[in-house]
Amino acid sequence: DALAAAALLRGHAAIDPDRVFVLAHSLGGTAIPRIPAGDAEIAGFVLLAAASERLEDAIVRQHRYIAELDGQLSDEERALLEKSEALAREVKALRDPAAGPIHGIPAGYWLDLAAHPPLHEIASVRRPLLVLQGGRDYQVTDAAFASWREALASHPRATFTRYPTLNHLFIAGEGPSRPEEYLKPGHVAEAVIDDIAAFVSGGAKRGP
């Protein structure tokens, strides 16, 4: 879909074909390392709260974070954690793409994710990259941000920015981020929009 969209935009009369970028958020950011190989014309990439760990591990970690927010672990929360951990074990043991779905997700999807470790594949991408992270994000944490930094340490055109007060949606808040804050109306922080605009308007020479 991302490749088709980029190709479509390059053919639009109002768009500079040399400045088509791909921006992806969360799990979408996990897919970014796979996209450049399919389109040498994309000018660069923006990773917003890009997940770097395996999805099943992220599910366990997020459920644990939510369960422990109040400092206590109820029987219901403990049962949910055990269910999440069982899911992770089932996914890691998966070998057959034709097997039945796990957690409502096709087996082939889980296996495809596992076959493309993003931190390994990002090493071959030499086009401009902008990696942005919210400091209050519990879904994709500072640990993921650090892992992208490490994987791209030798990248000559990778830029990293962390916004201390922003959550996973890049909306400002205070204190530990909680699921219920996603229900409150808000806007992506202006600084994030400005940084993305500056990155895109700066243009880029294409690379591998």
PDB file of all heavy atoms in Angstrom, residues 99-137:
ATOM      1  N   ALA A  99      -1.382 -22.430   9.801  1.00  0.00           N
ATOM      2  CA  ALA A  99      -2.029 -22.725  11.079  1.00  0.00           C
ATOM      3  C   ALA A  99      -3.152 -21.716  11.333  1.00  0.00           C
ATOM      4  O   ALA A  99      -3.239 -20.670  10.676  1.00  0.00           O
ATOM      5  CB  ALA A  99      -1.007 -22.677  12.210  1.00  0.00           C
ATOM      6  N   GLY A 100      -3.984 -22.015  12.289  1.00  0.00           N
ATOM      7  CA  GLY A 100      -5.095 -21.130  12.612  1.00  0.00           C
ATOM      8  C   GLY A 100      -4.618 -19.810  13.196  1.00  0.00           C
ATOM      9  O   GLY A 100      -3.468 -19.684  13.619  1.00  0.00           O
ATOM     10  N   PRO A 101      -5.489 -18.825  13.220  1.00  0.00           N
ATOM     11  CA  PRO A 101      -5.125 -17.498  13.746  1.00  0.00           C
ATOM     12  C   PRO A 101      -4.813 -17.540  15.236  1.00  0.00           C
ATOM     13  O   PRO A 101      -5.328 -18.375  15.971  1.00  0.00           O
ATOM     14  CB  PRO A 101      -6.358 -16.650  13.455  1.00  0.00           C
ATOM     15  CG  PRO A 101      -7.478 -17.621  13.333  1.00  0.00           C
ATOM     16  CD  PRO A 101      -6.885 -18.862  12.757  1.00  0.00           C
ATOM     17  N   ILE A 102      -3.960 -16.634  15.655  1.00  0.00           N
ATOM     18  CA  ILE A 102      -3.613 -16.471  17.057  1.00  0.00           C
ATOM     19  C   ILE A 102      -4.011 -15.061  17.465  1.00  0.00           C
ATOM     20  O   ILE A 102      -3.588 -14.087  16.836  1.00  0.00           O
ATOM     21  CB  ILE A 102      -2.102 -16.681  17.294  1.00  0.00           C
ATOM     22  CG1 ILE A 102      -1.691 -18.101  16.885  1.00  0.00           C
ATOM     23  CG2 ILE A 102      -1.738 -16.428  18.758  1.00  0.00           C
ATOM     24  CD1 ILE A 102      -0.197 -18.346  16.983  1.00  0.00           C
ATOM     25  N   HIS A 103      -4.851 -14.956  18.486  1.00  0.00           N
ATOM     26  CA  HIS A 103      -5.342 -13.656  18.941  1.00  0.00           C
ATOM     27  C   HIS A 103      -6.075 -12.942  17.806  1.00  0.00           C
ATOM     28  O   HIS A 103      -6.026 -11.708  17.692  1.00  0.00           O
ATOM     29  CB  HIS A 103      -4.168 -12.818  19.461  1.00  0.00           C
ATOM     30  CG  HIS A 103      -4.582 -11.667  20.340  1.00  0.00           C
ATOM     31  ND1 HIS A 103      -5.313 -11.815  21.493  1.00  0.00           N
ATOM     32  CD2 HIS A 103      -4.353 -10.324  20.212  1.00  0.00           C
ATOM     33  CE1 HIS A 103      -5.515 -10.628  22.036  1.00  0.00           C
ATOM     34  NE2 HIS A 103      -4.950  -9.710  21.277  1.00  0.00           N
ATOM     35  N   GLY A 104      -6.720 -13.721  16.940  1.00  0.00           N
ATOM     36  CA  GLY A 104      -7.467 -13.154  15.830  1.00  0.00           C
ATOM     37  C   GLY A 104      -6.603 -12.713  14.662  1.00  0.00           C
ATOM     38  O   GLY A 104      -7.100 -12.143  13.690  1.00  0.00           O
ATOM     39  N   ILE A 105      -5.306 -12.979  14.738  1.00  0.00           N
ATOM     40  CA  ILE A 105      -4.375 -12.555  13.691  1.00  0.00           C
ATOM     41  C   ILE A 105      -3.864 -13.797  12.957  1.00  0.00           C
ATOM     42  O   ILE A 105      -3.415 -14.751  13.592  1.00  0.00           O
ATOM     43  CB  ILE A 105      -3.189 -11.779  14.303  1.00  0.00           C
ATOM     44  CG1 ILE A 105      -3.707 -10.511  15.002  1.00  0.00           C
ATOM     45  CG2 ILE A 105      -2.168 -11.410  13.236  1.00  0.00           C
ATOM     46  CD1 ILE A 105      -2.637  -9.749  15.760  1.00  0.00           C
ATOM     47  N   PRO A 106      -3.897 -13.807  11.618  1.00  0.00           N
ATOM     48  CA  PRO A 106      -3.458 -14.984  10.869  1.00  0.00           C
ATOM     49  C   PRO A 106      -2.026 -15.399  11.205  1.00  0.00           C
ATOM     50  O   PRO A 106      -1.161 -14.540  11.427  1.00  0.00           O
ATOM     51  CB  PRO A 106      -3.572 -14.532   9.401  1.00  0.00           C
ATOM     52  CG  PRO A 106      -4.592 -13.453   9.421  1.00  0.00           C
ATOM     53  CD  PRO A 106      -4.405 -12.733  10.735  1.00  0.00           C
ATOM     54  N   ALA A 107      -1.796 -16.693  11.206  1.00  0.00           N
ATOM     55  CA  ALA A 107      -0.462 -17.216  11.517  1.00  0.00           C
ATOM     56  C   ALA A 107       0.588 -16.650  10.567  1.00  0.00           C
ATOM     57  O   ALA A 107       1.713 -16.317  10.974  1.00  0.00           O
ATOM     58  CB  ALA A 107      -0.475 -18.740  11.439  1.00  0.00           C
ATOM     59  N   GLY A 108       0.220 -16.515   9.285  1.00  0.00           N
ATOM     60  CA  GLY A 108       1.169 -15.998   8.307  1.00  0.00           C
ATOM     61  C   GLY A 108       1.617 -14.580   8.608  1.00  0.00           C
ATOM     62  O   GLY A 108       2.756 -14.202   8.306  1.00  0.00           O
ATOM     63  N   TYR A 109       0.739 -13.794   9.217  1.00  0.00           N
ATOM     64  CA  TYR A 109       1.089 -12.408   9.580  1.00  0.00           C
ATOM     65  C   TYR A 109       2.139 -12.403  10.688  1.00  0.00           C
ATOM     66  O   TYR A 109       3.136 -11.679  10.618  1.00  0.00           O
ATOM     67  CB  TYR A 109      -0.166 -11.668  10.023  1.00  0.00           C
ATOM     68  CG  TYR A 109       0.054 -10.204  10.333  1.00  0.00           C
ATOM     69  CD1 TYR A 109      -0.054  -9.234   9.345  1.00  0.00           C
ATOM     70  CD2 TYR A 109       0.348  -9.790  11.639  1.00  0.00           C
ATOM     71  CE1 TYR A 109       0.132  -7.890   9.629  1.00  0.00           C
ATOM     72  CE2 TYR A 109       0.536  -8.453  11.933  1.00  0.00           C
ATOM     73  CZ  TYR A 109       0.429  -7.501  10.928  1.00  0.00           C
ATOM     74  OH  TYR A 109       0.628  -6.176  11.214  1.00  0.00           O
ATOM     75  N   TRP A 110       1.914 -13.220  11.714  1.00  0.00           N
ATOM     76  CA  TRP A 110       2.887 -13.323  12.807  1.00  0.00           C
ATOM     77  C   TRP A 110       4.252 -13.759  12.265  1.00  0.00           C
ATOM     78  O   TRP A 110       5.291 -13.195  12.638  1.00  0.00           O
ATOM     79  CB  TRP A 110       2.417 -14.327  13.856  1.00  0.00           C
ATOM     80  CG  TRP A 110       1.256 -13.919  14.686  1.00  0.00           C
ATOM     81  CD1 TRP A 110      -0.009 -14.429  14.636  1.00  0.00           C
ATOM     82  CD2 TRP A 110       1.239 -12.936  15.739  1.00  0.00           C
ATOM     83  NE1 TRP A 110      -0.816 -13.828  15.574  1.00  0.00           N
ATOM     84  CE2 TRP A 110      -0.076 -12.905  16.269  1.00  0.00           C
ATOM     85  CE3 TRP A 110       2.199 -12.084  16.281  1.00  0.00           C
ATOM     86  CZ2 TRP A 110      -0.444 -12.059  17.317  1.00  0.00           C
ATOM     87  CZ3 TRP A 110       1.834 -11.235  17.319  1.00  0.00           C
ATOM     88  CH2 TRP A 110       0.527 -11.228  17.821  1.00  0.00           C
ATOM     89  N   LEU A 111       4.252 -14.765  11.401  1.00  0.00           N
ATOM     90  CA  LEU A 111       5.505 -15.291  10.859  1.00  0.00           C
ATOM     91  C   LEU A 111       6.196 -14.274   9.962  1.00  0.00           C
ATOM     92  O   LEU A 111       7.427 -14.174   9.939  1.00  0.00           O
ATOM     93  CB  LEU A 111       5.250 -16.588  10.097  1.00  0.00           C
ATOM     94  CG  LEU A 111       4.888 -17.797  10.968  1.00  0.00           C
ATOM     95  CD1 LEU A 111       4.460 -18.966  10.098  1.00  0.00           C
ATOM     96  CD2 LEU A 111       6.072 -18.201  11.855  1.00  0.00           C
ATOM     97  N   ASP A 112       5.407 -13.512   9.218  1.00  0.00           N
ATOM     98  CA  ASP A 112       5.990 -12.494   8.355  1.00  0.00           C
ATOM     99  C   ASP A 112       6.679 -11.411   9.178  1.00  0.00           C
ATOM    100  O   ASP A 112       7.788 -10.969   8.844  1.00  0.00           O
ATOM    101  CB  ASP A 112       4.898 -11.877   7.479  1.00  0.00           C
ATOM    102  CG  ASP A 112       5.448 -10.849   6.508  1.00  0.00           C
ATOM    103  OD1 ASP A 112       6.165 -11.263   5.570  1.00  0.00           O
ATOM    104  OD2 ASP A 112       5.177  -9.649   6.678  1.00  0.00           O
ATOM    105  N   LEU A 113       6.053 -10.991  10.271  1.00  0.00           N
ATOM    106  CA  LEU A 113       6.690 -10.006  11.148  1.00  0.00           C
ATOM    107  C   LEU A 113       8.009 -10.530  11.692  1.00  0.00           C
ATOM    108  O   LEU A 113       9.022  -9.827  11.712  1.00  0.00           O
ATOM    109  CB  LEU A 113       5.757  -9.658  12.310  1.00  0.00           C
ATOM    110  CG  LEU A 113       4.578  -8.730  12.039  1.00  0.00           C
ATOM    111  CD1 LEU A 113       3.772  -8.523  13.312  1.00  0.00           C
ATOM    112  CD2 LEU A 113       5.035  -7.393  11.477  1.00  0.00           C
ATOM    113  N   ALA A 114       8.007 -11.780  12.133  1.00  0.00           N
ATOM    114  CA  ALA A 114       9.208 -12.373  12.718  1.00  0.00           C
ATOM    115  C   ALA A 114      10.328 -12.514  11.699  1.00  0.00           C
ATOM    116  O   ALA A 114      11.519 -12.483  12.060  1.00  0.00           O
ATOM    117  CB  ALA A 114       8.873 -13.744  13.309  1.00  0.00           C
ATOM    118  N   ALA A 115       9.973 -12.649  10.431  1.00  0.00           N
ATOM    119  CA  ALA A 115      10.978 -12.851   9.381  1.00  0.00           C
ATOM    120  C   ALA A 115      11.666 -11.555   8.959  1.00  0.00           C
ATOM    121  O   ALA A 115      12.626 -11.597   8.181  1.00  0.00           O
ATOM    122  CB  ALA A 115      10.316 -13.496   8.164  1.00  0.00           C
ATOM    123  N   HIS A 116      11.193 -10.429   9.469  1.00  0.00           N
ATOM    124  CA  HIS A 116      11.755  -9.131   9.073  1.00  0.00           C
ATOM    125  C   HIS A 116      12.105  -8.289  10.301  1.00  0.00           C
ATOM    126  O   HIS A 116      11.409  -7.312  10.604  1.00  0.00           O
ATOM    127  CB  HIS A 116      10.771  -8.385   8.178  1.00  0.00           C
ATOM    128  CG  HIS A 116      10.524  -9.049   6.864  1.00  0.00           C
ATOM    129  ND1 HIS A 116      11.360  -8.887   5.780  1.00  0.00           N
ATOM    130  CD2 HIS A 116       9.546  -9.899   6.461  1.00  0.00           C
ATOM    131  CE1 HIS A 116      10.908  -9.588   4.758  1.00  0.00           C
ATOM    132  NE2 HIS A 116       9.808 -10.221   5.152  1.00  0.00           N
ATOM    133  N   PRO A 117      13.170  -8.636  11.015  1.00  0.00           N
ATOM    134  CA  PRO A 117      13.561  -7.832  12.182  1.00  0.00           C
ATOM    135  C   PRO A 117      13.948  -6.415  11.756  1.00  0.00           C
ATOM    136  O   PRO A 117      14.908  -6.231  11.000  1.00  0.00           O
ATOM    137  CB  PRO A 117      14.757  -8.603  12.748  1.00  0.00           C
ATOM    138  CG  PRO A 117      15.262  -9.428  11.601  1.00  0.00           C
ATOM    139  CD  PRO A 117      14.076  -9.760  10.767  1.00  0.00           C
ATOM    140  N   PRO A 118      13.217  -5.416  12.193  1.00  0.00           N
ATOM    141  CA  PRO A 118      13.428  -4.055  11.677  1.00  0.00           C
ATOM    142  C   PRO A 118      14.792  -3.466  11.996  1.00  0.00           C
ATOM    143  O   PRO A 118      15.357  -2.738  11.172  1.00  0.00           O
ATOM    144  CB  PRO A 118      12.303  -3.259  12.337  1.00  0.00           C
ATOM    145  CG  PRO A 118      11.948  -4.027  13.561  1.00  0.00           C
ATOM    146  CD  PRO A 118      12.131  -5.468  13.191  1.00  0.00           C
ATOM    147  N   LEU A 119      15.326  -3.762  13.168  1.00  0.00           N
ATOM    148  CA  LEU A 119      16.608  -3.178  13.538  1.00  0.00           C
ATOM    149  C   LEU A 119      17.742  -3.727  12.681  1.00  0.00           C
ATOM    150  O   LEU A 119      18.757  -3.051  12.471  1.00  0.00           O
ATOM    151  CB  LEU A 119      16.897  -3.435  15.022  1.00  0.00           C
ATOM    152  CG  LEU A 119      15.932  -2.775  15.998  1.00  0.00           C
ATOM    153  CD1 LEU A 119      16.254  -3.177  17.427  1.00  0.00           C
ATOM    154  CD2 LEU A 119      15.954  -1.252  15.851  1.00  0.00           C
ATOM    155  N   HIS A 120      17.578  -4.925  12.173  1.00  0.00           N
ATOM    156  CA  HIS A 120      18.574  -5.508  11.273  1.00  0.00           C
ATOM    157  C   HIS A 120      18.404  -4.938   9.862  1.00  0.00           C
ATOM    158  O   HIS A 120      19.378  -4.543   9.214  1.00  0.00           O
ATOM    159  CB  HIS A 120      18.425  -7.034  11.250  1.00  0.00           C
ATOM    160  CG  HIS A 120      19.284  -7.701  10.217  1.00  0.00           C
ATOM    161  ND1 HIS A 120      20.650  -7.817  10.353  1.00  0.00           N
ATOM    162  CD2 HIS A 120      18.959  -8.264   9.021  1.00  0.00           C
ATOM    163  CE1 HIS A 120      21.147  -8.442   9.291  1.00  0.00           C
ATOM    164  NE2 HIS A 120      20.137  -8.724   8.461  1.00  0.00           N
ATOM    165  N   GLU A 121      17.171  -4.858   9.395  1.00  0.00           N
ATOM    166  CA  GLU A 121      16.925  -4.439   8.018  1.00  0.00           C
ATOM    167  C   GLU A 121      17.134  -2.943   7.806  1.00  0.00           C
ATOM    168  O   GLU A 121      17.426  -2.507   6.692  1.00  0.00           O
ATOM    169  CB  GLU A 121      15.516  -4.850   7.607  1.00  0.00           C
ATOM    170  CG  GLU A 121      15.344  -6.369   7.562  1.00  0.00           C
ATOM    171  CD  GLU A 121      14.043  -6.808   6.907  1.00  0.00           C
ATOM    172  OE1 GLU A 121      13.153  -5.943   6.695  1.00  0.00           O
ATOM    173  OE2 GLU A 121      13.922  -8.010   6.616  1.00  0.00           O
ATOM    174  N   ILE A 122      17.011  -2.150   8.876  1.00  0.00           N
ATOM    175  CA  ILE A 122      17.188  -0.706   8.725  1.00  0.00           C
ATOM    176  C   ILE A 122      18.629  -0.358   8.355  1.00  0.00           C
ATOM    177  O   ILE A 122      18.901   0.709   7.781  1.00  0.00           O
ATOM    178  CB  ILE A 122      16.778   0.041  10.023  1.00  0.00           C
ATOM    179  CG1 ILE A 122      16.545   1.533   9.759  1.00  0.00           C
ATOM    180  CG2 ILE A 122      17.838  -0.135  11.114  1.00  0.00           C
ATOM    181  CD1 ILE A 122      15.340   1.835   8.924  1.00  0.00           C
ATOM    182  N   ALA A 123      19.563  -1.256   8.637  1.00  0.00           N
ATOM    183  CA  ALA A 123      20.976  -0.988   8.367  1.00  0.00           C
ATOM    184  C   ALA A 123      21.260  -0.785   6.882  1.00  0.00           C
ATOM    185  O   ALA A 123      22.231  -0.108   6.519  1.00  0.00           O
ATOM    186  CB  ALA A 123      21.832  -2.136   8.910  1.00  0.00           C
ATOM    187  N   SER A 124      20.437  -1.345   6.019  1.00  0.00           N
ATOM    188  CA  SER A 124      20.670  -1.214   4.578  1.00  0.00           C
ATOM    189  C   SER A 124      20.025   0.038   3.989  1.00  0.00           C
ATOM    190  O   SER A 124      20.208   0.332   2.807  1.00  0.00           O
ATOM    191  CB  SER A 124      20.136  -2.455   3.854  1.00  0.00           C
ATOM    192  OG  SER A 124      18.723  -2.559   4.001  1.00  0.00           O
ATOM    193  N   VAL A 125      19.298   0.781   4.795  1.00  0.00           N
ATOM    194  CA  VAL A 125      18.625   1.989   4.309  1.00  0.00           C
ATOM    195  C   VAL A 125      19.552   3.190   4.515  1.00  0.00           C
ATOM    196  O   VAL A 125      19.919   3.509   5.644  1.00  0.00           O
ATOM    197  CB  VAL A 125      17.299   2.224   5.059  1.00  0.00           C
ATOM    198  CG1 VAL A 125      16.614   3.489   4.544  1.00  0.00           C
ATOM    199  CG2 VAL A 125      16.382   1.020   4.906  1.00  0.00           C
ATOM    200  N   ARG A 126      19.907   3.854   3.439  1.00  0.00           N
ATOM    201  CA  ARG A 126      20.820   4.989   3.554  1.00  0.00           C
ATOM    202  C   ARG A 126      20.151   6.317   3.199  1.00  0.00           C
ATOM    203  O   ARG A 126      20.794   7.362   3.203  1.00  0.00           O
ATOM    204  CB  ARG A 126      22.053   4.792   2.646  1.00  0.00           C
ATOM    205  CG  ARG A 126      22.762   3.474   2.850  1.00  0.00           C
ATOM    206  CD  ARG A 126      23.007   3.150   4.311  1.00  0.00           C
ATOM    207  NE  ARG A 126      24.053   3.949   4.913  1.00  0.00           N
ATOM    208  CZ  ARG A 126      24.333   3.931   6.214  1.00  0.00           C
ATOM    209  NH1 ARG A 126      23.602   3.186   7.034  1.00  0.00           N
ATOM    210  NH2 ARG A 126      25.303   4.670   6.701  1.00  0.00           N
ATOM    211  N   ARG A 127      18.883   6.280   2.902  1.00  0.00           N
ATOM    212  CA  ARG A 127      18.165   7.528   2.631  1.00  0.00           C
ATOM    213  C   ARG A 127      17.876   8.265   3.938  1.00  0.00           C
ATOM    214  O   ARG A 127      17.949   7.670   5.018  1.00  0.00           O
ATOM    215  CB  ARG A 127      16.871   7.215   1.880  1.00  0.00           C
ATOM    216  CG  ARG A 127      17.061   7.150   0.366  1.00  0.00           C
ATOM    217  CD  ARG A 127      15.852   6.597  -0.346  1.00  0.00           C
ATOM    218  NE  ARG A 127      15.920   5.150  -0.488  1.00  0.00           N
ATOM    219  CZ  ARG A 127      15.003   4.423  -1.105  1.00  0.00           C
ATOM    220  NH1 ARG A 127      13.950   5.011  -1.639  1.00  0.00           N
ATOM    221  NH2 ARG A 127      15.129   3.115  -1.208  1.00  0.00           N
ATOM    222  N   PRO A 128      17.533   9.544   3.875  1.00  0.00           N
ATOM    223  CA  PRO A 128      17.268  10.320   5.094  1.00  0.00           C
ATOM    224  C   PRO A 128      16.169   9.698   5.952  1.00  0.00           C
ATOM    225  O   PRO A 128      15.140   9.243   5.442  1.00  0.00           O
ATOM    226  CB  PRO A 128      16.839  11.687   4.558  1.00  0.00           C
ATOM    227  CG  PRO A 128      17.517  11.785   3.236  1.00  0.00           C
ATOM    228  CD  PRO A 128      17.481  10.397   2.664  1.00  0.00           C
ATOM    229  N   LEU A 129      16.406   9.694   7.250  1.00  0.00           N
ATOM    230  CA  LEU A 129      15.459   9.133   8.219  1.00  0.00           C
ATOM    231  C   LEU A 129      15.261  10.123   9.353  1.00  0.00           C
ATOM    232  O   LEU A 129      16.230  10.675   9.884  1.00  0.00           O
ATOM    233  CB  LEU A 129      15.993   7.817   8.792  1.00  0.00           C
ATOM    234  CG  LEU A 129      16.148   6.633   7.843  1.00  0.00           C
ATOM    235  CD1 LEU A 129      17.055   5.580   8.469  1.00  0.00           C
ATOM    236  CD2 LEU A 129      14.793   6.034   7.524  1.00  0.00           C
ATOM    237  N   LEU A 130      14.016  10.338   9.733  1.00  0.00           N
ATOM    238  CA  LEU A 130      13.686  11.152  10.897  1.00  0.00           C
ATOM    239  C   LEU A 130      12.955  10.255  11.884  1.00  0.00           C
ATOM    240  O   LEU A 130      11.888   9.721  11.570  1.00  0.00           O
ATOM    241  CB  LEU A 130      12.801  12.336  10.494  1.00  0.00           C
ATOM    242  CG  LEU A 130      12.318  13.248  11.630  1.00  0.00           C
ATOM    243  CD1 LEU A 130      13.501  13.926  12.316  1.00  0.00           C
ATOM    244  CD2 LEU A 130      11.333  14.295  11.088  1.00  0.00           C
ATOM    245  N   VAL A 131      13.528  10.074  13.068  1.00  0.00           N
ATOM    246  CA  VAL A 131      12.958   9.180  14.078  1.00  0.00           C
ATOM    247  C   VAL A 131      12.494  10.026  15.255  1.00  0.00           C
ATOM    248  O   VAL A 131      13.301  10.708  15.903  1.00  0.00           O
ATOM    249  CB  VAL A 131      13.994   8.137  14.539  1.00  0.00           C
ATOM    250  CG1 VAL A 131      13.358   7.138  15.506  1.00  0.00           C
ATOM    251  CG2 VAL A 131      14.595   7.404  13.338  1.00  0.00           C
ATOM    252  N   LEU A 132      11.191   9.986  15.542  1.00  0.00           N
ATOM    253  CA  LEU A 132      10.597  10.823  16.589  1.00  0.00           C
ATOM    254  C   LEU A 132       9.977   9.956  17.672  1.00  0.00           C
ATOM    255  O   LEU A 132       9.382   8.918  17.387  1.00  0.00           O
ATOM    256  CB  LEU A 132       9.530  11.739  15.994  1.00  0.00           C
ATOM    257  CG  LEU A 132       9.964  12.594  14.794  1.00  0.00           C
ATOM    258  CD1 LEU A 132       8.806  13.467  14.318  1.00  0.00           C
ATOM    259  CD2 LEU A 132      11.169  13.453  15.140  1.00  0.00           C
ATOM    260  N   GLN A 133      10.103  10.406  18.934  1.00  0.00           N
ATOM    261  CA  GLN A 133       9.630   9.607  20.060  1.00  0.00           C
ATOM    262  C   GLN A 133       9.042  10.493  21.146  1.00  0.00           C
ATOM    263  O   GLN A 133       9.612  11.531  21.496  1.00  0.00           O
ATOM    264  CB  GLN A 133      10.805   8.807  20.651  1.00  0.00           C
ATOM    265  CG  GLN A 133      10.496   8.013  21.902  1.00  0.00           C
ATOM    266  CD  GLN A 133       9.572   6.834  21.636  1.00  0.00           C
ATOM    267  OE1 GLN A 133       9.631   6.244  20.558  1.00  0.00           O
ATOM    268  NE2 GLN A 133       8.739   6.475  22.589  1.00  0.00           N
ATOM    269  N   GLY A 134       7.892  10.087  21.680  1.00  0.00           N
ATOM    270  CA  GLY A 134       7.315  10.773  22.827  1.00  0.00           C
ATOM    271  C   GLY A 134       7.873  10.214  24.123  1.00  0.00           C
ATOM    272  O   GLY A 134       7.965   8.997  24.301  1.00  0.00           O
ATOM    273  N   GLY A 135       8.232  11.091  25.043  1.00  0.00           N
ATOM    274  CA  GLY A 135       8.837  10.661  26.299  1.00  0.00           C
ATOM    275  C   GLY A 135       7.873  10.000  27.264  1.00  0.00           C
ATOM    276  O   GLY A 135       8.294   9.337  28.205  1.00  0.00           O
ATOM    277  N   ARG A 136       6.549  10.169  27.051  1.00  0.00           N
ATOM    278  CA  ARG A 136       5.544   9.559  27.925  1.00  0.00           C
ATOM    279  C   ARG A 136       4.857   8.363  27.253  1.00  0.00           C
ATOM    280  O   ARG A 136       3.800   7.929  27.689  1.00  0.00           O
ATOM    281  CB  ARG A 136       4.494  10.600  28.321  1.00  0.00           C
ATOM    282  CG  ARG A 136       5.039  11.764  29.144  1.00  0.00           C
ATOM    283  CD  ARG A 136       3.968  12.809  29.441  1.00  0.00           C
ATOM    284  NE  ARG A 136       2.806  12.221  30.086  1.00  0.00           N
ATOM    285  CZ  ARG A 136       1.631  12.023  29.486  1.00  0.00           C
ATOM    286  NH1 ARG A 136       1.459  12.341  28.207  1.00  0.00           N
ATOM    287  NH2 ARG A 136       0.625  11.489  30.142  1.00  0.00           N
ATOM    288  N   ASP A 137       5.460   7.844  26.229  1.00  0.00           N
ATOM    289  CA  ASP A 137       4.872   6.739  25.463  1.00  0.00           C
ATOM    290  C   ASP A 137       5.125   5.417  26.181  1.00  0.00           C
ATOM    291  O   ASP A 137       6.273   5.045  26.399  1.00  0.00           O
ATOM    292  CB  ASP A 137       5.507   6.715  24.075  1.00  0.00           C
ATOM    293  CG  ASP A 137       4.808   5.773  23.103  1.00  0.00           C
ATOM    294  OD1 ASP A 137       4.052   4.897  23.558  1.00  0.00           O
ATOM    295  OD2 ASP A 137       5.044   5.914  21.900  1.00  0.00           O
TER     296      ASP A 137
END
